[in-house]
Amino acid sequence: MVSSRFCALKITLGKFFCVLALLTMGSVVPAAAASAEDVLHKWLSLSLSLIRHTPTYTPPVASRALAYLGVTAYESVASGSPKLRSLSGQLNGLNALPAREAGRNYDEAVVLDAALAGVMRDLFGNTGPSGQQAISRLEDDFKKAAVTGGSSSETLTRSEAYGRAVAKHISDWAEGDGGGTIENMGFPWTYELTKGPEHWVPTNPLARQQQVPLLPKWGENRPFAMPAGTSCPLPPPHPYSEDPSSAFYKEAYETYQTAKTLTPEQKTIAFFWADDAMASPTPAGHWVSIVLQIAEHDHLSLEKQVDALARLGIAMADAFIGCWHEKYRYDLIRPLTYIRRLISPDWQPFILTPPFPEYPSGHSTQSGAAATVLAAIFGDPYPFSDRTRERDGAVPRSFNGFIDAAKEAGISRLYGGIHFRAAIERGYEQGKCIGGYAIALKTWL
Amino acid sequence: MIVFLVAGTTLLYAAEPVSVPLFQEETAQSGVTSVYAGDWQYMVGGGAAAFDCNGDNFPDLALAGGEDKASLYINNSKRGGSLRFDRVESGIELTGVTGVYPLDIDGDGTMDLIVLRVGEAVLMRGLGECRFERANEAWHFDGGDAWWTSFSATWEQGARWPTLALGAYIDPKSADNPWGSCTENRLFRPNEQGNGFATPLPLKPSYCALSMLFTDWNRSGTPSLRISNDREYYEGGQEQLWRVVPGETPRLYTDAEGWKFLKIWGMGIASIVFPNDTYPSYFLTSMSDNKLQVLKSSTADAAPTPVYKDVAYDRGAVAYRPYTGTDLKPSTAWHAQFEDVNNDGLFDLFIAKGNVDRMPDFAAQDPNNLLLQRPDATFQEVGDVAGIASFGAARGAALADFNLDGKIDLVVVNRRASAKLWRNVTAEAGHFIALRLQNDGPNRDAIGAWIEVKRGDQMIRREILSGGGHAGGVNGFWHFGLDNAKSADIRVIWPDGTTAPWQTVAADQFYRLRPDQRPFPLVP
């Protein structure tokens, strides 16, 4: 049992993890009206759990959900804030949201709760029975808490209705982006592998679904802020070659040699940023977790939090779209296949090779985008500690800033043995390009 | 052009014909109406126990009921006739029951039951004539307060009472956010007084165990405890193999010892020894891909290490999505059990399937599997043509010869629907023998023994186990198909290591085997 006293004693980054712990230990019964900040943190914390425990939530799908949740939170708060402007008209396909009734009172926590609950129901409608129950209970808890907060019943009713209207607007908007329906866990029913030794082939013969690559059409989805999946293209990878003197072979050999001589620190880094589907909140969830920790540690205003979460989510979702577009444009072989074919037939990378093409590195692209956005919002250097993987046995890591963290996330894929260096370095550059679109959004009045 | 057609993979293994058994559903006339009822806390569990509780050799049934009461059905089938059961008041009519395993715990010659519950686990002492009474206090058994979901038992060398392992699932009080809340598995060893159990030892870390199995995987004479865990709810967890040495604190096999990291939605464990193999292999049920693990390498002059290779796809033991019907989404597999259903001398694999609960990304119409083993140790799906491809939300099951006609029948427990029974009516089944072990001393069921059946140049081995599957198991006659052989050579390696001499027995008989005695025919 995690008591509130325990939580109160935590000095740094504590409350976010107390929220996680309390949720986990089944003690979430708000005794009094919840603040909008509590509502935001608890719903997003639950979303990170559901991403981990909902089978369709591979990293691209998770990034989409976190973007919609970020925009939902942002629009809910912005509609009642004199400091923020709506993202409608700035994001692809997002029309003007419902307006609040002029001169009427709203309970901001109730608005935010109703909006987030509605979008959560929509995004995680396919989660399992435990997830459905967790959503229902959190909704119930906040509803019970709301009536103790001093707002009139009319205000509560109006606020809930408005939050629901925001949720419906966001859900309707999301419906047409191409990413809302995930069949067969994201693996196409039929797929034609590209001929040629340089192209991706399945890497896990024991997983039946993974004999075809994940979400090959994801790069065609409607982005949020960037114009299209093609907006930040990459140059081709090194020309495929089996000649030991070639750049391609040398990069493969670097991955092979690095994996053979991993230091304890390199193993720690590879594990810390592994962020696998179904075993973590995925890369996008990892960065959202970082922002939630910073928000708590630095006592960010609600407006600042939703601005950061919205633009971070948008940048990462766009990064996955742009990255996936390039992945399937080049359809490059994974190190596992190449190294076993040409260097060492029994070679094993340190982490699992994910089931899709290599170039560019998804974590590098989206971490580059995330760091670009967060550095623009918070500045860089911006020291912080990250406890995201603590419950999986990883020691918290400290960073001088977002760019340091993103660079480490990128190189972790070399340590893990799942990428060549070019995919990491160019992926990061692609992320910077994509993040620029999120930075360009006008959020503050 | 290489095109992967994801559906229809069973066709890849359909080249060699097998003798397809035929099952006839007899649920309506069987009298069995038990439902595994309840909501969230009963999304797992739903076990079936098949065992003889009234001494007539016919396997009776104990079925978990979830929110409904557990039920006991006396088998009133006639030999070779239709399946007929009658529900009786037995003393096991508890609510909250997730699973039931039969075991003669106190060695008095009468079968007892381990009753897993959401709440307190209960040991039920068999009184004879299918009556049971609670024995937690008498046997000093602390049934705790947990969401108990798995069980296995062994007799540690020299012990007069069994060692029981109980596996727990998530913390029922963590319904708001249950992930990472797996509660403590426990190991109950005999107490020093010799009248029951000592204070249980925690088996930590615990990772939401849905199946446990004490098995002598390396033929060392000291079984280890395999645990299959549900990755949905643990954090930092994996599949486990505990080294349980008498007098020592259990410890996990490590990566350095060869045990490899594996995360699955572990639901059930089934053990098989393939023909002429020495060591057991294990089928692990999960969501989507299941595992068929064979010991990777072993040599005569070196002790095996617990390194397993997954050969599920190589051998066609494929059950990752429905093989019939229109629903092609991934499957959810629960109970698994190897039995020879066509008496061809090869153990076949039954898998109970069913959606967890309205999970739209997994098959809602998920047929149970019946995978027939072929002579080359590959498998072929025949569930639909054999007649057992029901589409309920199956959980537990038990395969046993309910009408003592020498053919393995089937009961399947379904969530929120009645259990179903099938009679094996295969016309061209091979010959068989059925062997019940009766050990001297406290371990009456001879848990940990090995039965070897030799037919020509083929050796079939079977480890006598208590546990595994999903929330239930069988205890009684151990069935061996003999194909067209009229007799077989058999021997038993008893739990104390004593190897009985080879003896020839006639086919199509039920025998009781005791140490130092000739096989005794039980059923006329």
Side-chain angles (χ1 to χ4, degrees):
Chain A
M1 181 82 177
V2 178
S3 69
S4 57
R5 178 180 170 79
F6 167 83
C7 292
L9 290 173
K10 289 286 179 184
I11 298 170
T12 59
L13 303 179
K15 193 171 176 185
F16 168 61
F17 283 94
C18 283
V19 169
L20 276 180
L22 286 167
L23 281 167
T24 302
M25 300 306 285
S27 306
V28 181
V29 183
S35 67
E37 287 85 351
D38 285 341
V39 169
L40 177 67
H41 279 232
K42 282 174 181 165
W43 277 116
L44 284 174
S45 297
L46 181 56
S47 78
L48 298 185
S49 286
L50 295 185
I51 283 169
R52 183 176 178 144
H53 295 287
T54 305
T56 52
Y57 270 75
T58 53
V61 180
S63 74
R64 174 184 181 269
L66 291 168
Y68 283 117
L69 287 169
V71 174
T72 302
Y74 178 87
E75 293 296 336
S76 299
V77 173
S79 63
S81 169
K83 300 176 183 172
L84 298 176
R85 69 170 69 184
S86 173
L87 291 168
S88 65
Q90 301 188 69
L91 298 179
N92 300 322
L94 181 62
N95 299 321
L97 280 95
R100 297 192 184 197
E101 293 178 44
R104 298 297 190 102
N105 290 329
Y106 287 85
D107 184 316
E108 297 303 327
V110 173
V111 170
L112 190 55
D113 175 49
L116 287 172
V119 174
M120 285 283 288
R121 283 261 178 227
D122 192 49
L123 292 170
F124 293 100
N126 64 330
T127 198
S130 294
Q132 299 294 349
Q133 180 166 266
I135 291 171
S136 295
R137 291 198 175 207
L138 194 54
E139 269 189 292
D140 291 346
D141 288 343
F142 281 134
K143 278 182 183 166
K144 286 177 193 162
V147 298
T148 67
S151 295
S152 68
S153 61
E154 291 79 9
T155 298
L156 293 176
T157 302
R158 184 183 310 115
S159 302
E160 185 175 346
Y162 181 70
R164 285 183 179 174
V166 170
K168 182 176 185 314
H169 192 89
I170 298 291
S171 292
D172 289 347
W173 171 50
E175 199 172 278
D177 72 352
T181 300
I182 305 297
E183 288 194 337
N184 197 36
M185 314 289 173
F187 297 95
W189 297 107
T190 61
Y191 186 81
E192 184 177 340
L193 295 181
T194 313
K195 281 183 182 173
E198 70 271 37
H199 292 302
W200 182 86
V201 293
T203 53
N204 183 358
L206 300 179
R208 198 66 212 156
Q209 286 177 317
Q210 297 179 16
Q211 304 314 298
V212 293
L214 180 74
L215 295 167
K217 302 291 186 188
W218 194 262
E220 299 171 15
N221 285 358
R222 180 187 67 203
F224 287 77
M226 70 176 177
T230 55
S231 297
C232 290
L234 286 180
H238 295 306
Y240 179 83
S241 173
E242 299 181 1
D243 181 345
S245 66
S246 67
F248 197 98
Y249 188 99
K250 286 177 179 171
E251 280 207 341
Y253 198 82
E254 181 192 24
T255 300
Y256 163 73
Q257 196 62 27
T258 302
K260 268 183 68 174
T261 57
L262 284 178
T263 66
E265 173 71 354
Q266 288 171 328
K267 288 181 179 177
T268 297
I269 290 169
F271 176 71
F272 187 82
W273 292 103
D275 293 332
D276 293 322
M278 301 300 296
S280 77
T282 75
H286 194 149
W287 280 100
V288 166
S289 167
I290 288 170
V291 168
L292 293 174
Q293 292 171 70
I294 288 172
E296 182 55 40
H297 181 259
D298 294 352
H299 307 290
L300 300 182
S301 69
L302 183 62
E303 286 91 346
K304 185 91 171 177
Q305 290 186 49
V306 294
D307 176 40
L309 288 166
R311 287 203 277 172
L312 173 66
I314 288 164
M316 292 191 298
D318 282 357
F320 270 104
I321 292 169
C323 172
W324 245 243
H325 186 277
E326 299 303 278
K327 275 184 181 291
Y328 286 89
R329 179 178 169 208
Y330 295 113
D331 194 14
L332 192 65
I333 188 173
R334 281 279 177 180
L336 178 80
T337 311
Y338 185 89
I339 290 169
R340 284 185 178 175
R341 183 189 296 164
L342 295 164
I343 301 173
S344 174
D346 298 323
W347 183 74
Q348 283 286 353
F350 181 66
I351 64 174
L352 289 174
T353 297
F356 42 80
E358 191 268 351
Y359 181 82
S361 152
H363 212 325
S364 302
T365 303
Q366 70 91 44
S367 291
T372 299
V373 166
L374 296 178
I377 293 173
F378 297 105
D380 200 280
Y382 190 98
F384 66 92
S385 291
D386 177 10
R387 296 168 57 189
T388 300
R389 302 301 307 280
E390 194 170 32
R391 293 181 60 181
D392 293 307
V395 175
R397 293 186 69 75
S398 296
F399 300 97
N400 194 37
F402 307 108
I403 294 169
D404 278 359
K407 296 273 188 181
E408 185 176 285
I411 202 66
S412 76
R413 309 317 246 182
L414 185 73
Y415 302 155
I418 64 172
H419 277 291
F420 308 120
R421 183 176 290 276
I424 294 164
E425 294 177 351
R426 294 182 191 171
Y428 180 81
E429 292 302 318
Q430 188 191 30
K432 281 172 64 178
C433 171
I434 293 170
Y437 290 101
I439 293 173
L441 296 168
K442 305 296 183 197
T443 51
W444 296 92
L445 288 166
Chain B
M1 181 177 81
I2 304 168
V3 177
F4 282 89
L5 292 174
V6 180
T9 51
T10 52
L11 293 175
L12 294 172
Y13 306 97
E16 195 173 333
V18 292
S19 172
V20 177
L22 185 63
F23 286 81
Q24 178 173 298
E25 193 194 332
E26 296 192 342
T27 304
Q29 62 267 45
S30 74
V32 174
T33 57
S34 176
V35 172
Y36 188 58
D39 203 12
W40 184 67
Q41 291 189 325
Y42 303 98
M43 61 184 169
V44 300
F51 62 105
D52 177 16
C53 60
N54 57 4
D56 64 359
N57 292 315
F58 285 82
D60 307 296
L61 283 175
L63 304 177
E67 283 184 356
D68 289 353
K69 289 180 178 176
S71 53
L72 192 131
Y73 288 88
I74 289 182
N75 188 342
N76 285 321
S77 308
K78 303 298 182 193
R79 192 173 181 195
S82 299
L83 304 185
R84 177 68 213 178
F85 290 82
D86 291 293
R87 183 169 180 168
V88 296
E89 288 292 315
S90 66
I92 72 161
E93 290 76 18
L94 305 173
T95 57
V97 174
T98 58
V100 192
Y101 287 88
L103 180 70
D104 185 357
I105 296 170
D106 58 355
D108 65 353
T110 301
M111 200 67 78
D112 310 303
L113 292 174
I114 295 86
V115 179
L116 306 177
R117 299 176 64 239
V118 178
E120 182 192 38
V122 180
L123 302 185
M124 304 294 292
R125 174 161 54 194
L127 304 173
E129 295 305 317
C130 298
R131 296 283 307 163
F132 297 85
E133 69 176 9
R134 174 187 169 92
N136 283 21
E137 290 74 21
W139 293 344
H140 309 283
F141 175 80
D142 174 8
D145 179 11
W147 185 340
W148 297 112
T149 46
S150 53
F151 165 80
S152 190
T154 186
W155 258 264
E156 297 187 74
Q157 283 300 332
R160 297 199 58 78
W161 285 72
T163 292
L164 312 180
L166 267 69
Y169 204 46
I170 54 187
D171 183 350
K173 301 177 189 69
S174 297
D176 291 326
N177 200 317
W179 303 286
S181 74
C182 300
T183 57
E184 189 176 277
N185 301 329
R186 291 184 177 173
L187 188 76
F188 297 80
R189 279 176 154 155
N191 62 21
E192 290 182 357
Q193 295 76 21
N195 58 2
F197 297 95
T199 302
L201 299 172
L203 288 171
K204 291 167 72 173
S206 303
Y207 296 132
C208 287
L210 285 182
S211 191
M212 306 176 116
L213 189 64
F214 274 109
T215 172
D216 192 2
W217 64 273
N218 58 357
R219 304 299 302 269
S220 65
T222 302
S224 300
L225 179 64
R226 246 185 187 263
I227 304 183
S228 199
N229 297 306
D230 186 358
R231 65 175 292 175
E232 175 73 9
Y233 294 103
Y234 60 65
E235 289 175 351
Q238 58 173 305
E239 296 289 285
Q240 294 173 306
L241 182 65
W242 289 88
R243 185 186 179 96
V244 183
V245 174
E248 296 181 12
T249 302
R251 70 165 181 82
L252 283 168
Y253 277 95
T254 64
D255 183 64
E257 293 169 293
W259 183 251
K260 295 303 178 196
F261 182 83
L262 177 65
K263 293 176 73 166
I264 59 173
W265 292 275
M267 312 271 201
I269 307 172
S271 168
I272 180 177
V273 184
F274 284 102
N276 299 329
D277 275 5
T278 301
Y279 299 102
S281 299
Y282 303 95
F283 189 80
L284 310 178
T285 58
S286 183
M287 302 174 81
S288 189
D289 297 302
N290 302 285
K291 304 291 176 188
L292 178 56
Q293 297 186 329
V294 298
L295 204 59
K296 197 165 185 179
S297 62
S298 59
T299 58
D301 55 351
T305 54
V307 183
Y308 286 87
K309 181 182 180 187
D310 180 5
V311 298
Y313 289 107
D314 293 345
R315 298 202 181 179
V318 176
Y320 79 105
R321 68 169 71 243
Y323 55 89
T324 185
T326 57
D327 196 337
L328 290 178
K329 292 176 181 173
S331 284
T332 308
W334 302 87
H335 183 84
Q337 188 175 336
F338 287 97
E339 295 291 346
D340 185 354
V341 295
N342 55 0
N343 288 344
D344 65 351
L346 302 167
F347 289 120
D348 311 303
L349 174 60
F350 172 82
I351 308 169
K353 292 279 194 65
N355 197 288
V356 175
D357 193 15
R358 296 182 282 269
M359 290 188 73
D361 299 308
F362 290 85
Q365 299 293 309
D366 203 355
N368 301 324
N369 295 81
L370 184 60
L371 289 148
L372 292 188
Q373 189 187 165
R374 297 185 291 202
D376 61 356
T378 63
F379 290 85
Q380 178 178 335
E381 179 62 62
V382 298
D384 47 355
V385 290
I388 57 88
S390 68
F391 291 91
R395 291 292 188 271
L399 288 91
D401 183 359
F402 291 128
N403 62 354
L404 300 184
D405 65 350
K407 290 177 282 198
I408 291 290
D409 309 299
L410 170 66
V411 60
V412 174
V413 176
N414 292 307
R415 188 173 185 207
R416 298 191 179 114
S418 176
K420 286 193 170 187
L421 282 87
W422 286 266
R423 177 159 66 107
N424 188 334
V425 294
T426 307
E428 303 296 329
H431 296 288
F432 77 97
I433 51 172
L435 310 174
R436 170 178 284 178
L437 304 189
Q438 189 175 326
N439 196 18
D440 295 333
N443 181 5
R444 295 284 289 233
D445 304 324
I447 303 301
W450 288 73
I451 300 175
E452 296 181 335
V453 175
K454 195 161 56 174
R455 188 169 56 84
D457 60 357
Q458 185 187 68
M459 174 81 86
I460 299 291
R461 294 185 171 90
R462 179 168 201 154
E463 184 181 13
I464 305 307
L465 302 165
S466 175
H470 184 74
V474 300
N475 193 336
F477 287 111
W478 305 107
H479 183 96
F480 294 84
L482 298 179
D483 199 13
N484 56 5
K486 301 285 179 57
S487 65
D489 295 333
I490 64 169
R491 72 173 181 180
V492 177
I493 302 170
W494 293 93
D496 65 359
T498 304
T499 302
W502 286 103
Q503 302 187 78
T504 301
V505 295
D508 303 326
Q509 293 276 1
F510 296 78
Y511 297 96
R512 183 184 65 207
L513 304 181
R514 301 187 64 176
D516 304 322
Q517 291 189 16
R518 287 200 54 78
F520 182 78
L522 279 177
V523 180

